[in-house]
Amino acid sequence: MADQPALPDPTRTFFTAAERACVRAISARLIPSDDTGPGAEEADVVTFIDRQLAGFYGRGERWYTKGPFSEGTEQQGYQFESPPAGLYRKALAALDAHCRRTHEGKAFDELGAEVQDGILTAMEEGELEFEGVAATAFFELVLDNTIEGFFSDPIYGGNRDMVGWRLVGFPGARYDYRDYLDHDGKRLDIPPVGLAGRPEWKTP
Amino acid sequence: MAKKLPPVDVVLVGFGWTGAIMAQELTEAGLQVLALERGGWRDTPTHFPTTVAPDELRFYWRHEMFQDTARETLTFRNNDSQTALPMRRWGSFLPGSGVGGSGVHWNGQTFRFLPSDFVAASHNTDRYGPLPEGMTVQDYGVTYDELETHFDRFEKLCGIGGKAGNLRGALQAGGNPFEGRRSDDYPNPPMEMTFAQKQFGMAARELGLNPFPAPSANMSRPYTNPLGVQLAPCTYCGFCEKYGCGNYSKAIPQTTILPVLMGKHNFTLKTHNEVLEITRDSSGRRATGVTHVDVHGEVFEQPAEIVILCAYPLQNARLMMLSGIGRTYDPRSGEGLVGKNYCYQVVSSVDVFYEDRYTNQFVGAGALGMVIDEYNGDNFDHAGLGFIGGGYLACWTTNARPIETHRTPEGTPEWGAGWKKAVKENFLKSTGVSTHGASMAYAQNRLDLDPTYTDVYGRPLLRMTYDFTPNDRAMTAYLTERATEIAKRMGGREIKVNAREGAYDSMPYQTTHNTGGTIMGSTPANSVVNRYLQSWDVPNLFVMGAGVFPQNAGYNPTGTVAALTYWAAEAIKSRYLPDPGPMVRA
């Protein structure tokens, strides 16, 4: 596994334009942009998820994918036949159909924030059932991936300009904090740095 | 037809901590040693230098350091009424793969078990009466005193930083007053503590407890070990567990043994070679070697005088079953021993949130912590409590890796504006007290072969049947209450209790401390291996690792795993080689 390239190929994508718009809208509700700071939108979480789904993660290449498949208990974890990319495709189609049927032909990303939150809550709490795909499992997956895209190193396409790290104060991919051991509970203001440096380091 | 290779004296199956220790010891004795590792070669500058290692997504969430579940996993169920299903990705525990094994991505928390942990059955029976029905706890068959010099060797190999609490019988202020008698202090001083540990220490002392610095395999200063291998001081970067250390600051096989071992003429390592079976002669009482398969699918027969299983405990148990050595445990009849007494670790935590103080947890290290041991093992009176055993409580500052570690107060929503605000406000201003509870063996918890699911070679997966037991539940409730008492006194604005309740869940990460399945003991009737980790059935087969623990204690296992390995190596050199055969008469 170590021989595989670590970075997803930025030219490879998975989502259709409609899927991308929907996931972008979902992630923007999960981590909204508001007066506490930038959210999933500014972090470009949707690009992160798109690249992940186009790569080994989306294809489930490091997951055990042999059958037979059955639902299992809560304690047995992910048991769907589809790897993550397939689950997204099915669930996004089902979500789109649900939204258009119940909201006068509109797609998820065309709905207001409160309506969107209501749909996401219904998915989270299992009140919404999709044909042939578990809405709750999809919600959990997209929430996990959104948090990953907000906080992972910017080399993966999300956390753009390290907005996720800046929001919480994480200094990033540093490797020596010995000078700060005696911080004694005081705030440290250390600007973040990523594995590929900082945008301003790049020569024009 | 398998290609037959030239014979060797010793073949090691798996090449992590126990494989590296065994290889070093047995090559020193002049034996020709071959290690077979199914994963790849890994070293610091190539695979996890400082410019690569701090990558949370790649190494933890995308599992780059771990066994590849696409090739092989295990199946899991809580109890016999359920159908076990494959763990399609790792969750609650993270077995490693490749050279160094799980020893590459550990935190470095390096404890010794208590003297009473090794005699858990007799000690607790003497003090509290018979064990409850269904509890299958037993003595290890080896004592703390017998292992003491071996603990000491591992601590010196690794450059463990800590403070002795019991030096040759004399209690030492600032150390753990409950620990077994030590022949020597730690080779290095404790790590530097940060704000959170100071708050924990103050709160614990107010309660009359004796906090001490955690024994750490993250270097507190530059260190040259007895093999002449150098380690560099830890830089507190907060990427230990689940990561390789880019700084040569964490004791792993690569930073302690391999630089010396790899150049030896009588040592050979083959990576990307998976052992399929332990082969035996027609009597079934003698191992003739192993068969293994390379990446091209070619199968080899490797003859050896001695076979030593050094893989992860779950793998060692599975290989015994796949090779038909010993009988697999069946809880209905109570017969069979391979797979018996699978145990884990019962952990919980209490978060502390500060209003205007910063814990700055990115300044952290895997074994940076203050610990109290008043509620571990039998360090306290269990009369009327309804359980045996216990665990340590600790305030660790291991990391602020943000995907994994973003504590939020009670009542915070899981997503949306409320979640985001809480994460922002508390990210740098929180810590926790964790409890690290023992796991006592019960008749129903076990490992066997799955009837349905198979690995990449079509062989049955291991099946785990496991849930928390009445002892675990009573113990973790008690430990969590004690942790809450300390957490409340640490000067925070509020706390949040994360109790361990409900069925064991195989998905949220808890700890990679899987034990049992190839247990040690005093007779062939109660154990797979004898006190020297030698198979009762096949005397030239040895089994290393935490699989030999009859039950798990309230400490991290690596220190005891390594001490047992040195103990077994010593027995092989001094007793087995001069007179090959069973070292304990049944």
Side-chain angles (χ1 to χ4, degrees):
Chain A
M1 283 197 300
D3 299 326
Q4 293 182 5
L7 296 182
D9 176 354
T11 65
R12 293 204 53 195
T13 56
F14 173 76
F15 289 139
T16 64
E19 287 170 340
R20 188 178 168 90
C22 182
V23 171
R24 182 175 164 180
I26 293 172
S27 67
R29 294 315 303 154
L30 297 177
I31 308 181
S33 310
D34 56 21
D35 55 10
T36 64
E41 181 72 29
E42 291 82 357
D44 202 7
V45 163
V46 68
T47 291
F48 166 86
I49 297 178
D50 200 4
R51 290 184 191 173
Q52 288 294 308
L53 296 181
F56 73 86
Y57 171 77
R59 295 190 294 269
E61 282 176 12
R62 295 181 187 176
W63 291 17
Y64 184 83
T65 51
K66 283 193 189 184
F69 291 88
S70 55
E71 199 176 325
T73 66
E74 221 177 285
Q75 288 75 24
Q76 289 175 313
Y78 195 99
Q79 293 296 339
F80 306 103
E81 195 159 355
S82 304
L87 191 76
Y88 267 84
R89 181 133 289 157
K90 284 185 200 164
L92 289 170
L95 174 62
D96 189 61
H98 169 80
C99 291
R100 292 186 192 279
R101 193 173 63 245
T102 53
H103 293 90
E104 298 162 347
K106 287 184 177 165
F108 182 85
D109 54 283
E110 295 169 319
L111 303 172
E114 277 182 37
V115 178
Q116 289 177 336
D117 284 357
I119 293 169
L120 292 173
T121 302
M123 286 167 60
E124 181 186 23
E125 294 177 359
E127 290 162 7
L128 198 57
E129 281 185 28
F130 290 159
E131 185 73 26
V133 54
T136 309
F138 172 65
F139 177 85
E140 285 169 9
L141 189 62
V142 75
L143 177 58
D144 286 350
N145 294 155
T146 297
I147 293 171
E148 288 171 352
F150 195 61
F151 284 138
S152 61
D153 195 278
I155 56 175
Y156 296 101
N159 189 17
R160 192 205 288 158
D161 296 337
M162 297 178 268
V163 293
W165 291 352
R166 288 181 210 275
L167 180 83
V168 298
F170 179 60
R174 292 174 178 272
Y175 67 93
D176 191 353
Y177 292 117
R178 281 174 292 179
D179 289 348
Y180 305 101
L181 281 164
D182 60 352
H183 61 73
D184 196 32
K186 286 189 283 294
R187 185 189 176 96
L188 302 173
D189 281 306
I190 306 175
V193 62
L195 287 166
R198 264 203 292 274
E200 55 266 38
W201 293 0
K202 300 216 167 54
T203 47
Chain B
M1 191 64 190
K3 182 180 174 188
K4 192 162 183 171
L5 297 170
V8 294
D9 295 327
V10 181
V11 65
L12 306 175
V13 180
F15 194 56
W17 263 130
T18 63
I21 290 171
M22 202 43 98
Q24 173 62 18
E25 293 303 294
L26 298 185
T27 50
E28 285 298 297
L31 299 180
Q32 188 72 39
V33 178
L34 166 70
L36 296 172
E37 164 57 46
R38 68 179 182 176
W41 172 256
R42 295 188 298 187
D43 62 43
T44 309
T46 315
H47 297 92
F48 37 84
T50 51
T51 48
V52 169
D55 187 338
E56 188 180 4
L57 187 80
R58 174 177 176 178
F59 290 105
Y60 178 19
W61 298 100
R62 297 294 176 263
H63 296 182
E64 188 154 320
M65 308 293 288
F66 316 137
Q67 288 174 23
D68 185 357
T69 46
R71 295 174 61 82
E72 181 210 314
T73 182
L74 65 155
T75 67
F76 164 74
R77 60 181 177 177
N78 281 124
N79 57 60
D80 286 49
S81 74
Q82 300 172 348
T83 302
L85 295 176
M87 293 176 67
R88 296 190 178 278
R89 53 175 167 172
W90 294 121
S92 151
F93 48 89
L94 304 166
S97 182
V99 167
S102 307
V104 172
H105 71 262
W106 72 315
N107 260 333
Q109 302 166 0
T110 316
F111 292 90
R112 300 177 174 198
F113 286 4
L114 292 169
S116 59
D117 289 331
F118 293 99
V119 288
S122 52
H123 175 95
N124 283 292
T125 306
D126 286 350
R127 188 166 176 189
Y128 303 110
L131 300 175
E133 192 176 335
M135 187 186 274
T136 52
V137 165
Q138 68 187 38
D139 293 353
Y140 277 59
V142 64
T143 65
Y144 173 85
D145 288 342
E146 288 174 309
L147 293 177
E148 201 285 329
T149 56
H150 305 288
F151 278 116
D152 184 63
R153 270 197 84 185
F154 186 62
E155 288 165 2
K156 286 174 177 155
L157 178 87
C158 292
I160 304 301
K163 174 83 183 81
N166 179 343
L167 207 46
R168 296 176 284 274
L171 292 188
Q172 308 290 311
N176 178 8
F178 299 96
E179 70 177 351
R181 177 191 173 99
R182 304 172 58 90
S183 56
D184 202 356
D185 204 339
Y186 291 98
N188 282 320
M191 302 193 81
E192 298 275 346
M193 297 297 150
T194 66
F195 171 73
Q197 286 71 48
K198 290 170 189 166
Q199 298 300 109
F200 174 88
M202 211 160 56
R205 278 187 293 271
E206 272 175 29
L207 288 163
L209 305 166
N210 290 281
F212 61 93
S216 170
N218 320 135
M219 294 308 102
S220 58
R221 63 181 178 188
Y223 182 67
T224 304
N225 80 6
L227 298 179
V229 183
Q230 297 179 333
L231 291 96
C234 174
T235 58
Y236 299 79
C237 78
F239 282 85
C240 290
E241 184 186 43
K242 307 170 179 108
Y243 305 84
C245 173
N247 256 336
Y248 301 85
S249 305
K250 179 170 73 175
I252 63 175
Q254 284 87 336
T255 59
T256 55
I257 297 174
L258 301 201
V260 170
L261 178 66
M262 293 309 296
K264 288 186 174 181
H265 66 89
N266 56 340
F267 177 70
T268 309
L269 166 68
K270 290 184 182 174
T271 57
H272 296 297
N273 270 281
E274 177 159 0
V275 172
L276 299 172
E277 191 185 355
I278 303 155
T279 53
R280 283 177 292 164
D281 68 8
S282 55
S283 75
R285 294 274 299 160
R286 178 172 175 76
T288 52
V290 298
T291 56
H292 61 98
V293 57
D294 71 8
V295 280
H296 310 294
E298 189 172 355
V299 178
F300 299 90
E301 191 183 326
Q302 176 61 63
E305 291 297 313
I306 299 175
V307 177
I308 308 181
L309 305 189
C310 296
Y312 198 70
L314 301 170
Q315 290 304 328
N316 290 341
R318 177 169 179 256
L319 192 58
M320 294 283 279
M321 294 175 195
L322 290 173
S323 305
I325 298 176
R327 190 164 160 192
T328 301
Y329 170 65
D330 180 350
R332 283 159 300 188
S333 65
E335 289 175 21
L337 287 158
V338 184
K340 194 181 179 197
N341 283 22
Y342 171 74
C343 290
Y344 191 47
Q345 201 87 68
V346 188
V347 299
S348 69
S349 65
V350 182
D351 298 333
V352 180
F353 300 92
Y354 291 95
E355 183 62 34
D356 49 12
R357 305 301 299 273
Y358 287 76
T359 52
N360 297 314
Q361 295 185 96
F362 50 84
V363 185
L368 169 60
M370 285 294 280
V371 183
I372 63 120
D373 222 15
E374 270 77 0
Y375 308 112
N376 210 337
D378 199 33
N379 295 342
F380 59 111
D381 186 0
H382 291 66
L385 293 177
F387 64 91
I388 59 167
Y392 68 72
L393 312 185
C395 176
W396 301 107
T397 296
T398 63
N399 79 94
R401 301 182 297 262
I403 304 172
E404 179 179 2
T405 306
H406 48 262
R407 295 186 181 89
T408 54
E410 198 73 54
T412 303
E414 296 290 315
W415 54 276
W419 175 84
K420 183 185 169 202
K421 183 167 184 286
V423 170
K424 177 186 160 89
E425 286 174 354
N426 295 287
F427 185 77
L428 297 176
K429 298 196 283 190
S430 56
T431 185
V433 178
S434 55
T435 81
H436 190 272
S439 173
M440 295 300 163
Y442 272 72
Q444 71 275 17
N445 286 334
R446 67 189 187 279
L447 308 171
D448 61 4
L449 292 177
D450 191 88
T452 307
Y453 294 94
T454 56
D455 70 4
V456 70
Y457 302 111
R459 304 179 305 163
L461 297 183
L462 191 73
R463 175 171 67 179
M464 175 187 290
T465 304
Y466 180 73
D467 203 350
F468 296 125
T469 66
N471 195 83
D472 296 333
R473 294 180 192 287
M475 179 204 63
T476 192
Y478 181 83
L479 292 181
T480 307
E481 283 171 27
R482 303 288 80 75
T484 304
E485 290 165 359
I486 299 175
K488 279 180 177 166
R489 285 170 174 78
M490 285 171 61
R493 174 192 70 227
E494 62 181 296
I495 64 165
K496 181 168 82 172
V497 179
N498 307 301
R500 181 64 53 193
E501 288 166 344
Y504 165 69
D505 187 336
S506 71
M507 280 300 120
Y509 186 72
Q510 289 153 62
T511 182
T512 307
H513 301 168
N514 310 83
T515 72
T518 56
I519 59 176
M520 64 190 297
S522 55
T523 78
N526 69 11
S527 47
V528 174
V529 295
N530 67 23
R531 67 197 301 263
Y532 301 111
L533 279 57
Q534 178 184 35
S535 163
W536 291 106
D537 295 324
V538 181
N540 66 332
L541 171 68
F542 295 80
V543 186
M544 301 298 114
V548 305
F549 295 0
Q551 59 280 329
N552 198 9
Y555 298 100
N556 309 61
T558 303
T560 299
V561 166
L564 284 167
T565 308
Y566 276 117
W567 157 259
E570 187 59 37
I572 291 171
K573 286 190 291 185
S574 64
R575 301 174 54 123
Y576 180 84
L577 291 177
D579 179 20
M583 288 191 273
V584 179
R585 294 287 161 192

